[in-house]
Amino acid sequence: MTLVRKVRRSLYATLALVVVLVVVLAGVVIGQGRRPLPQTSGTLEMRGLTGEVEVLRDERGVPHIYADTMGDLMRAQGYVQAQDRFFEMDTRRHITAGRLAELVGEPGVETDRVIRTMGWRRVAEQELPMLEPETRRAIAAYTDGVNAWIEDKGSPSSMALEYTVLSLSLPEYRVEPWTSVDTLAWLKAMAWDLRGNYTGELTRAALQGRVSDSMLAELYPGYPTSEHAPILSGKDWRPDPERKPSSPGADGQGTKGAKPASSSAAAHPGATTALLDTAAAVDAVPTLLGRGEGIGSNSWVVSGERSTTGSPLLANDPHLGVSMPGIWYQMGLHCREVTQACPMDVSGYTFAGVPGVIIGHNRDIAWGFTNLAPDVTDFYLEQITGDEYLRDGELRPLETRTETIRVAGGPSQQITVRSTGHGPLLSDAVPSVAAAGEEVEVEGRATSDYAVSFAWTALRPSTTADALLGLNTASDWDEFRAAARDFAVPSQNLVYADTAGHIGYQAPGQVPIRKAVGDNPPGYVPAPGWDSDYDWTGYVPFDDMPSVLDPPEGLLVTANQQVTVSTTPFLTTEWDSGYRSQRIRDLLEGDDKVSPDKMARVQLDTDNGLAPALLGPLLDVQIDDPFTEDARGLLRDWDGRQPAGHGEDAAAAMYFNAVWQRIVALTFNDDLPADLQASGGSQYWQAVTGLLDKPRSGWWDDRTTAGVVEGRDEILRRALVDARLDLTRQLGKDPATWQWDQLHRVTFRHQVLGGDGIPAPVRRLVNSGPHPVRGGSATVNATNWDASQGFAVTSAPSMRMVVDLGDLDASRWVNQTGASGHPFSDHYDDQIDAWLAGRTYPWPSSEDAVRESAQDRLVLTPAAQ
């Protein structure tokens, strides 16, 4: 036998062995991946049930549950959600308890330090006994259902593929029983990502002393009420003149002269380090619902008089982070006979780990959420001397507690949490702060360090869980408002419609009352913690919060814009700038009657609201450069749309957004701290729109060019040139071939296994994308991107729904990814294509419609005792 033949035979043998190993390995992976998939048909015994429960799933795996008692309904919900999403639930409870390091090891320690410092779980533990008995019973039954599933599955590897992967490095991990507090702690995470104002507050503090007061005002202009209508007009709602104002000085400007401007805490020496380290602590918390300026929502409702159906129509699409699986879980929860003892007949979107439905409809009413984003957080600069802090001229003892962080695969770590009367010292959560804090003299006393405490409404126990279940069972406006009264955090815009033909709006939530002190609006910059004049004095009473039933124009649009022109009560100065809300209103008012199809089409609108203001100045700038002019020509006939695919609009949208990214960087980032770079969202749209009329504003000057003072036209010219070069390098020399969705793409990334540190084969298994998408930041179809990071989508519509109150079974919905959290499930990603294309699915809710659409039927029976 020749040498060549021997080598060839050897190679064939080796190749055959490799093929066998690959096949075996693939079989093992597929076997492990399919092992956790749930039983969805037949009969299954379940511990704790008192009667049979039926689980019907449609072709996308969305479950509808039917039971005779509220207890059995909640038990089955816990069981079914655990079937589909338990690893997600387990990850969330580790994060919210400050125990992520127990699941993922050392990478979770920094997150745990921050969460433990705030004490999310400690607050949830205090909330549980405050809830109504029926709420506690519902959560307890839900918890029993989750634990019945945990007992049935036994080992972690039979629960989720993720546990099998993690066991390679963390073999000792064991799943703990679910608790009611696990559910309540998740509500803290929801409130964290939907709180308002904190980024602006820290940015303004960092800019004090770096830019002039006039430049700061240009960066944060007032809401453009004359161009972008608030949610409620003066005809719809105004404060009751007979009621005493709940927010003294709540004109949004404070009481000028009450305190000198120099009393601003951020102006004190040594404050900047502590404030920036606090920003680092805030960033250490993982994105759960989403983060950044694009976190918001669209929701609107039209009355029967304005609809083609003769009944109200309600639309909602919350703009949250993109993830795998998606944030929402679709399901229906039905008492077979609706009674006072078993009052639930509801379907919609909920969170895995939470009983009931968060957004959706029951047989009588429908509701949607958008983020109100009032100012519910304040940072206080505290002067610390040893284990004391300064308060109205006296030193008071800090409250302290010790927390132990257990780390999988490593030694435990201990931290000391310190708190003042305002809240925990969040700056302590960053290990470098203690060493980095600058010492300062405090009114002639011994040297003192600065630290930053954190006041947040969600760190005070509340009864939001009562509100969520109350919304599920409300049958009219009065019951809806009664439920909203308990909705403490996060404060939301609630839109309402019912089958009797009414529409309405309610702003709920705990909004702090602050004294009007100094020249700035309340909460504008971090406050001096040593002065009690800056303390909260209570919360705005619910009856003082904006509300309306059946507004005369028969239309309510909420898209995070200003709620009302009234400044009483004071809510915030930092509304979304209103480009989305006004576009929605304009589109709806363009038709005498609005159809359900029109509601869905509006959700997909991609019009760029900045284009009308910016295109003129860009086209007027003198350019003697044919290469750049070749690209600028794309903008001359552009209509502002940002579509997917090929075409002149797609090319123009790509160039416009690239120019905008450059404008943002050239105008703002030379003045902003490195870790607070400009995002380019709607706040910057509004700021630049104002700056276009101020061609010599200090913002246009580039600090990095010594001896040269730039103006508006020079920055616009440089942006046009630089964007042309950027896209030539990335997409090619011919501008006509550029497409917006070549760079504007979305990746649905697994929170634990989807990151860059995970092997590529695992990432490919659990992630989906990148996918090309239409839309952009601050558009109705809000596929937001951050100008400081690139064009990739950072947040987007997390779901879309249109509810027809005249025929609930004619309602439509779509989720962002799929019902399942199991990568090997057919329902892991089976809604992505529809979501990307803007399609929706039928949303059956009546029993007849649900049964007609059912593909699987599982009967849960009481287990033998």
Side-chain angles (χ1 to χ4, degrees):
M1 183 181 294
T2 66
L3 178 60
V4 172
R5 292 180 63 189
K6 288 181 179 180
V7 170
R8 184 180 298 165
R9 178 172 293 184
S10 176
L11 288 174
Y12 286 161
T14 302
L15 180 60
L17 179 60
V18 169
V19 170
V20 170
L21 290 174
V22 168
V23 171
V24 170
L25 181 60
V28 170
V29 171
I30 293 172
Q32 284 297 111
R34 297 193 64 82
R35 184 182 177 196
L37 298 185
Q39 178 180 340
T40 59
S41 60
T43 302
L44 190 64
E45 288 190 350
M46 178 180 166
R47 176 183 57 81
L49 290 180
T50 63
E52 283 193 356
V53 175
E54 197 174 16
V55 183
L56 303 176
R57 292 179 182 260
D58 67 14
E59 62 180 328
R60 286 166 295 282
V62 175
H64 284 260
I65 302 174
Y66 291 85
D68 292 320
T69 69
M70 190 69 174
D72 281 353
L73 190 62
M74 295 293 97
R75 289 184 191 93
Q77 183 183 13
Y79 193 95
V80 169
Q81 283 194 348
Q83 279 187 313
D84 286 336
R85 296 281 191 102
F86 183 74
F87 183 79
E88 177 187 32
M89 294 164 60
D90 199 20
T91 302
R92 286 174 171 176
R93 69 164 163 174
H94 277 83
I95 292 172
T96 58
R99 296 176 57 192
L100 184 60
E102 295 178 26
L103 181 65
V104 302
E106 182 66 29
V109 170
E110 188 175 45
T111 294
D112 289 349
R113 291 178 63 93
V114 179
I115 300 297
R116 294 286 188 95
T117 296
M118 287 189 282
W120 288 3
R121 189 175 178 87
R122 290 166 57 88
V123 179
E125 289 170 346
Q126 297 171 52
E127 288 179 342
L128 185 58
M130 296 170 54
L131 300 176
E132 293 293 334
E134 57 266 30
T135 304
R136 293 200 304 273
R137 286 194 292 269
I139 297 174
Y142 177 92
T143 297
D144 288 345
V146 176
N147 288 328
W149 178 85
I150 292 173
E151 289 182 12
D152 285 352
K153 300 302 288 186
S155 67
S157 62
S158 67
M159 298 177 182
L161 175 64
E162 290 90 337
Y163 292 121
T164 300
V165 176
L166 290 174
S167 69
L168 299 176
S169 58
L170 305 172
E172 302 302 319
Y173 181 75
R174 295 293 179 268
V175 172
E176 296 180 0
W178 191 262
T179 71
S180 295
V181 175
D182 292 333
T183 289
L184 295 179
W186 168 242
L187 300 181
K188 302 299 160 194
M190 180 173 71
W192 174 258
D193 279 346
L194 299 180
R195 71 205 185 284
N197 174 259
Y198 76 100
T199 300
E201 188 171 337
L202 291 174
T203 301
R204 287 188 292 269
L207 287 174
Q208 288 196 332
R210 295 169 61 100
V211 303
S212 66
D213 289 346
S214 62
M215 287 176 65
L216 202 58
E218 289 168 347
L219 182 59
Y220 292 95
Y223 184 81
T225 306
S226 60
E227 291 105 35
H228 300 157
I231 296 172
L232 304 182
S233 70
K235 296 180 295 183
D236 295 335
W237 179 87
R238 57 175 56 88
D240 185 348
E242 300 299 318
R243 291 183 63 84
K244 181 179 178 180
S246 57
S247 302
D251 58 357
Q253 300 301 319
T255 302
K256 293 188 181 295
K259 293 269 184 178
S262 61
S263 69
S264 169
H268 282 252
T272 302
T273 298
L275 289 166
L276 292 179
D277 283 331
T278 300
V282 169
D283 288 341
V285 180
T287 298
L288 297 163
L289 293 185
R291 179 175 298 169
E293 191 180 347
I295 300 305
S297 302
N298 302 323
S299 191
W300 64 90
V301 59
V302 297
S303 67
E305 289 76 16
R306 296 193 66 146
S307 80
T308 59
T309 66
S311 296
L313 301 171
L314 185 149
N316 196 188
D317 57 296
H319 307 152
L320 303 172
V322 291
S323 61
M324 199 68 173
I327 289 165
W328 297 105
Y329 184 84
Q330 298 160 284
M331 73 186 319
L333 301 167
H334 311 277
C335 293
R336 291 193 177 100
E337 182 180 356
V338 176
T339 64
Q340 186 173 355
C342 193
M344 196 168 283
D345 185 11
V346 64
S347 65
Y349 297 85
T350 187
F351 298 122
V354 178
V357 162
I358 306 296
I359 295 174
H361 72 81
N362 59 31
R363 60 172 61 180
D364 298 308
I365 74 167
W367 66 96
F369 287 0
T370 64
N371 199 17
L372 177 61
D375 187 358
V376 296
T377 62
D378 275 332
F379 294 101
Y380 289 91
L381 195 64
E382 308 282 3
Q383 293 179 346
I384 309 296
T385 302
D387 58 359
E388 297 177 308
Y389 68 100
L390 188 66
R391 175 76 166 167
D392 290 334
E394 299 180 355
L395 289 174
R396 299 187 181 182
L398 290 162
E399 297 179 15
T400 62
R401 70 177 190 273
T402 300
E403 298 272 355
T404 300
I405 298 173
R406 296 198 299 272
V407 183
S412 297
Q413 300 184 20
Q414 279 198 337
I415 64 170
T416 299
V417 178
R418 302 187 296 169
S419 301
T420 71
H422 297 119
L425 296 184
L426 197 55
S427 53
D428 280 1
V430 179
S432 63
V433 169
E438 300 176 44
E439 293 189 340
V440 296
E441 291 294 326
V442 182
E443 300 180 6
R445 299 177 184 273
T447 57
S448 170
D449 292 331
Y450 276 111
V452 178
S453 64
F454 182 54
W456 177 32
T457 53
L459 298 184
R460 307 184 183 198
S462 66
T463 56
T464 298
D466 285 336
L468 295 177
L469 289 177
L471 293 175
N472 282 229
T473 58
S475 61
D476 59 27
W477 172 250
D478 290 338
E479 292 180 3
F480 173 80
R481 288 196 77 225
R485 187 178 293 271
D486 288 320
F487 206 116
V489 292
S491 188
Q492 299 287 287
N493 297 303
L494 303 184
V495 295
Y496 167 93
D498 63 34
T499 55
H502 301 291
I503 66 172
Y505 167 87
Q506 177 66 54
Q510 288 183 340
V511 179
I513 299 173
R514 305 162 173 91
K515 295 178 184 177
V517 181
D519 295 335
N520 293 320
Y524 192 72
V525 293
W530 51 86
D531 187 344
S532 62
D533 279 349
Y534 291 85
D535 288 358
W536 297 353
T537 60
Y539 298 106
V540 176
F542 179 77
D543 290 331
D544 285 359
M545 295 291 282
S547 176
V548 68
L549 178 67
D550 294 329
E553 65 176 331
L555 172 66
L556 288 163
V557 176
T558 74
N560 317 114
Q561 81 272 35
Q562 185 183 54
V563 174
T564 170
V565 295
S566 173
T567 54
T568 303
F570 175 76
L571 300 175
T572 185
T573 59
E574 294 189 55
W575 311 103
D576 178 273
S577 297
Y579 293 91
R580 281 182 293 116
S581 60
Q582 191 59 46
R583 177 64 175 171
I584 293 167
R585 177 173 287 275
D586 291 344
L587 290 171
L588 295 174
E589 290 179 339
D591 292 346
D592 292 335
K593 299 282 187 179
V594 178
S595 68
D597 286 345
K598 176 63 177 283
M599 299 279 279
R601 289 197 305 274
V602 171
Q603 290 179 323
L604 304 178
D605 184 76
T606 66
D607 184 76
N608 186 302
L610 176 63
L614 187 55
L615 281 175
L618 288 176
L619 293 173
D620 289 342
V621 169
Q622 183 67 35
I623 291 180
D624 298 322
D625 171 10
F627 185 68
T628 300
E629 184 59 41
D630 190 29
R632 185 168 67 164
L634 294 170
L635 303 180
R636 296 195 182 278
D637 297 318
W638 182 47
D639 63 4
R641 290 186 300 157
Q642 302 170 100
H646 298 275
E648 292 182 0
D649 283 340
M654 183 68 262
Y655 185 52
F656 181 85
N657 282 297
V659 172
W660 173 243
Q661 183 187 43
R662 281 295 187 167
I663 291 173
V664 169
L666 292 168
T667 306
F668 300 109
N669 287 349
D670 57 320
D671 291 300
L672 294 172
D675 53 354
L676 292 171
Q677 297 287 275
S679 68
S682 69
Q683 175 212 326
Y684 290 94
W685 284 20
Q686 189 183 351
V688 168
T689 298
L691 290 173
L692 290 172
D693 294 329
K694 300 176 180 180
R696 306 311 299 178
S697 167
W699 286 111
W700 296 118
D701 181 36
D702 185 351
R703 285 176 181 246
T704 65
T705 55
V708 179
V709 178
E710 288 86 359
R712 176 198 61 196
D713 289 357
E714 175 57 26
I715 294 301
L716 296 184
R717 185 181 299 108
R718 284 172 56 183
L720 287 162
V721 171
D722 291 349
R724 171 48 152 139
L725 294 172
D726 291 341
L727 295 182
T728 299
R729 284 189 291 266
Q730 296 176 77
L731 302 180
K733 186 176 180 180
D734 183 2
T737 65
W738 297 344
Q739 296 172 218
W740 171 223
D741 65 1
Q742 287 176 284
L743 299 182
H744 186 54
R745 298 188 163 209
V746 60
T747 298
F748 302 102
R749 187 170 285 109
H750 193 284
Q751 188 165 25
V752 176
L753 299 182
D756 292 339
I758 301 297
V762 176
R763 294 202 310 271
R764 285 195 293 269
L765 177 64
V766 299
N767 294 344
S768 180
H771 301 282
V773 291
R774 68 184 92 178
S777 293
T779 62
V780 178
N781 189 8
T783 53
N784 299 290
W785 54 281
D786 187 325
S788 68
Q789 300 175 19
F791 301 108
V793 173
T794 56
S795 62
S798 54
M799 58 81 161
R800 297 186 185 100
M801 73 178 201
V802 175
V803 182
D804 183 344
L805 276 298
D807 181 0
L808 291 172
D809 286 330
S811 303
R812 308 282 297 186
W813 63 351
V814 69
N815 211 351
Q816 198 177 74
T817 58
S820 179
H822 299 293
F824 279 84
S825 169
D826 293 338
H827 306 305
Y828 186 61
D829 57 3
D830 60 345
Q831 296 190 50
I832 288 178
D833 287 345
W835 181 89
L836 290 168
R839 300 194 308 271
T840 55
Y841 298 106
W843 181 356
S845 57
S846 70
E847 185 170 354
D848 287 345
V850 170
R851 291 191 181 281
E852 183 178 348
S853 67
Q855 300 289 306
D856 290 301
R857 178 177 181 268
L858 175 67
V859 177
L860 301 174
T861 62
Q865 300 297 321

